[in-house]
Amino acid sequence: MARKVMLEAINTGHRLLVTPEEIRLWGEARSGLPAIEDRPPNIPGPPILRIVFDQQLLNTGESQYGDRPGGLELVSWDEWVAELEVRNLALKVAIEVPGMLDDRYEFVELDRPRSEIS
């Protein structure tokens, strides 16, 4: 798996974060906090996983997310990663460039169980 991730990084400028520790360290390095956002009642599916940064964090009040029951809730990294693991997801992030701290990420479904990767 390490070789596949390395080749993906070389070819796309991205890398996959799979382990709880590397995900938490990436988020904390960018002053990000884990959050779970409830979906509106008319949209089915599990709650939305997010990492909130700076201004997003300031906008997490009830007025900002009043249309969602429970709104955006900051949670522990352990709780957030547990939900990520249940869904068998990893984070796809940009390869770090000296002098830049890119906080963009996307969720990627793993092609095999996490236990086979870690």
Side-chain angles (χ1 to χ4, degrees), residues 17-88:
L17 305 180
V18 178
T19 69
E21 182 68 11
E22 64 187 354
I23 292 168
R24 183 185 58 78
L25 288 173
W26 181 89
E28 288 178 349
R30 289 151 181 80
S31 298
L33 293 171
I36 296 179
E37 183 177 351
D38 291 336
R39 290 183 186 269
N42 59 337
I43 299 179
I48 300 166
L49 295 173
R50 294 185 49 198
I51 300 175
V52 292
F53 306 95
D54 302 325
Q55 187 62 40
Q56 291 174 325
L57 186 58
L58 294 174
N59 292 337
T60 60
E62 290 300 319
S63 62
Q64 177 73 15
Y65 294 96
D67 61 335
R68 291 175 170 80
L72 182 68
E73 179 184 0
L74 298 179
V75 297
S76 71
W77 279 108
D78 289 339
E79 182 179 347
W80 194 88
V81 167
E83 185 64 29
L84 193 77
E85 290 175 345
V86 165
R87 299 182 197 186
N88 203 37

